[in-house]
Every structure is written in structure tokens, then in C-alpha cells.
Amino acid sequence: MQTAICAFIAFGVTALSGMWLVPMLRKLSFGQKILEIGPNWHKSKEGTPTMGGIMFIIGILAACCAAFWFLKDEPSAEKIRFSSGILMALGYGLLGFIDDYTKIAKKQNEGLTAKQKFIGQVLLAVMFLVGLQISGTLSTAVIIPFLGQIDLGIFYYPLAVFIIVGASNAVNLTDGIDGLCSSVTFVCACGFMIMSTILGHLGMTYLAAALAGGCAGFFVWNCHPAKTFMGDTGSLFLGGMVCALAFGINYPVILVFAGIVYVIETLSDIIQIGSYKLTHKRVFKMAPIHHHFEMCGWSEWKIVIVFCLVGLAGAVVSILAVNAI
């Protein structure tokens, strides 16, 4: 019942907040600039309000307030994991907000430089890990799905930073067409909700439920044709939330399966860039891969549905892996 309450609060607050946030973003002229290198039919979307991710950040925070009350009798370690996770996500959301606002101020689709964004992401990841380490809730033993675990010792920390920064950027890459990132993350959150329950991490169960509810509420406004885009404000926040869940259940490597769509999107980008630099030939019609399918004639709805099914398959494999621990 408490898990359902967290999900419904996040969904309700997010969906309802769009009623005032979307008009406000339009009034402030916070419209999205569309890159020239993107599909030419995306030009019709130019001017759609961006930074709409603020609405699910508000919704998820509201749900987290209720969740923290539900956790009042839980061990302090669970509260620390929960609090550290939402704080890291907020930090990533703030970084995305600065990036979005810079784009709007410059009236172009270039905000923070790649170096600035990378430094910010690394610092936030390090702060998150330091917090977990000080609280005694961090384990350097990495669980390998279906195989067992290995203690990496000091080498765990650079790997953990790499996973957090890489995953947050992967979620950001997935935000390319209407409803894709929010729907895929909804599926991922549902997977983590089940995994957290199996492993007995009540705080992470509530956090995953809040994330799922927030994504569902945002989809109301972001499904095709989108009335608002989440912007880097939203996508980086979602990346932080997904990482918080993976580390919160002490199973960060599970992101390979739970976040399979994010992995595929990132690999498609790496393959495209690598192939062009080495051979001057492109593997895909356009990268990330969701644009490739657009260029092949798939509708945005079809891409969203197929990618969600792929994400669902990854979530099922993740649950089976966790259940086998």
C-alpha cells in the first residue's frame, strides 16, 4: 500500500503540475531549439517548451517526502541510501537545468561544454560515493549477474564513477523522440521496484515507485505529439535516479540489463562515431539508434513501444539475476 501511495503521489503531482508549468514555460519562451543535423521533420517541434522535467522532479520529491515518513522506523542505513540517492539525482537535475538555461539564454542548442558537464557529473558521482562510504552503506564487492561476486577493493571507486557518469549520459542520449525516455525509464523503474522488494531494500522500493509514477505522469504531457520536452534538466535527473537505485540495492552492474535500452543507445552512438572516423562510413542512417529507425520509416509511437518491450525483456532478466543471488 505504501509503495502504491508513493507511485500515485508522484503520478498525480507530476501530471497536475503540467497544467501550470507548460503554459508558464511557453510564456517564458523556453522553447527547444532543434539541431540542423537531426531528422528534418523534427523542425516542426521547434519552440516546444523544454525543461518540462521540472514537473516530474516536483512529483518525485513529493512522493519522497511521504516515503521518508514511511521509513521512519527503518535502519539508518536505509534512510541514508534513500537520501543520498535523491540528492545525487537532484544534483544531476540542477546540472541539466544550468545546461538548458544556458541554451535558452544563448538562443541556440549548445549549453554547457562537454568538459564542464563531465566535470560536474564526476564531482556529483564522487560526492554520492563518499556519502555512502562514510555512512558505511557502500560495498566494494561487485555482483556479476548469474556468476557471483568479486571484491574490487580500491578499484571499485573509479569503476563506480564510470558507471554513474556513463549511465546518466546514456539516459540523456535516449531522450530523442516524444515519450521515449520517460516510457523506457518507467519500465526500468518497475524492474527496480521488484528487485528492491526481493532484496528487502524498502527505501529503494519507494524510490523506484516514485520514479515510475513520475515518468508515467510526465508521459501524459510528453507522448507524441509532445506538449513539452524534459530537457537535460529531466534526463540527467532520471539518469541520477536510475544510478541511485542500482547502487542503492548494491548491484550497479545490473544496469547492463535493467538499462539495456540506454546501453544500446550509447553503443550505437559509439559505433557510429568510431566507424566514421576509421572508415568514413556510417553503420546507421543516424545515431543514436532511435533516429536510425525514424529514418527507416518507423513512427515515433512504434519506436517507443518496441524499445519499451526491449526494456521489459532487460528488466525480466535483471529480476531473474537478482532472484538467483
Side-chain angles (χ1 to χ4, degrees), residues 24-311:
M24 185 184 77
L25 291 173
R26 285 191 181 278
K27 187 175 181 180
L28 293 172
S29 298
F30 281 11
Q32 177 73 48
K33 290 287 183 181
I34 303 298
L35 286 171
E36 294 292 337
I37 59 173
N40 53 25
W41 54 87
H42 279 202
K43 273 294 179 180
S44 62
K45 300 182 180 185
E46 188 154 318
T48 301
T50 187
M51 297 171 68
I54 292 172
M55 67 175 72
F56 59 69
I57 293 176
I58 294 171
I60 290 171
L61 282 178
C64 285
C65 289
F68 202 78
W69 171 257
F70 297 150
L71 291 170
K72 62 182 185 298
D73 296 324
E74 293 297 311
S76 59
E78 195 66 27
K79 296 175 185 176
I80 291 170
R81 273 194 291 262
F82 180 87
S83 302
S84 298
I86 191 64
L87 285 173
M88 179 179 66
L90 283 172
Y92 272 87
L94 178 60
L95 185 65
F97 177 86
I98 295 170
D99 188 44
D100 284 333
Y101 189 79
T102 303
K103 292 174 185 175
I104 292 167
K106 290 182 177 180
K107 299 186 183 299
Q108 59 185 32
N109 206 353
E110 293 180 6
L112 297 174
T113 64
K115 183 178 180 180
Q116 289 171 331
K117 193 180 292 186
F118 176 74
I119 291 172
Q121 290 173 309
V122 169
L123 288 175
L124 287 167
V126 170
M127 289 169 63
F128 171 66
L129 294 171
V130 168
L132 293 183
Q133 180 66 48
I134 293 174
S135 68
T137 60
L138 183 69
S139 171
T140 57
V142 175
I143 303 172
I144 310 298
F146 303 110
L147 296 178
Q149 68 178 29
I150 179 172
D151 195 333
L152 297 178
I154 195 170
F155 297 105
Y156 172 87
Y157 300 99
L159 175 64
V161 171
F162 173 79
I163 290 173
I164 294 171
V165 174
S168 64
N169 283 322
V171 176
N172 183 247
L173 274 178
T174 308
D175 181 32
I177 62 174
D178 298 353
L180 181 60
C181 190
S182 54
S183 58
V184 166
T185 305
F186 169 80
V187 174
C188 182
C190 289
F192 271 112
M193 191 160 49
I194 296 172
M195 287 186 277
S196 301
T197 302
I198 292 171
L199 296 173
H201 291 295
L202 192 58
M204 294 302 104
T205 301
Y206 294 156
L207 197 63
L211 177 59
C215 287
F218 184 70
F219 189 76
V220 172
W221 297 93
N222 186 235
C223 63
H224 185 68
K227 299 175 183 65
T228 184
F229 300 138
M230 66 175 67
D232 283 4
T233 304
S235 60
L236 287 179
F237 174 84
L238 293 183
M241 285 288 287
V242 169
C243 290
L245 289 169
F247 281 85
I249 63 173
N250 293 321
Y251 207 165
V253 180
I254 203 65
L255 279 171
V256 173
F257 297 115
I260 186 62
V261 173
Y262 310 136
V263 173
I264 292 171
E265 293 273 28
T266 303
L267 286 177
S268 71
D269 221 32
I270 294 171
I271 291 169
Q272 185 84 326
I273 294 170
S275 175
Y276 188 76
K277 285 187 175 181
L278 292 173
T279 67
H280 294 289
K281 292 182 179 179
R282 293 179 173 86
V283 176
F284 306 103
K285 293 183 177 181
M286 188 176 288
I289 199 168
H290 57 260
H291 287 320
H292 169 79
F293 288 116
E294 272 194 288
M295 300 292 281
C296 289
W298 287 27
S299 69
E300 295 192 36
W301 274 108
K302 182 177 180 179
I303 295 170
V304 168
I305 292 170
V306 171
F307 277 43
C308 281
L309 290 174
V310 172

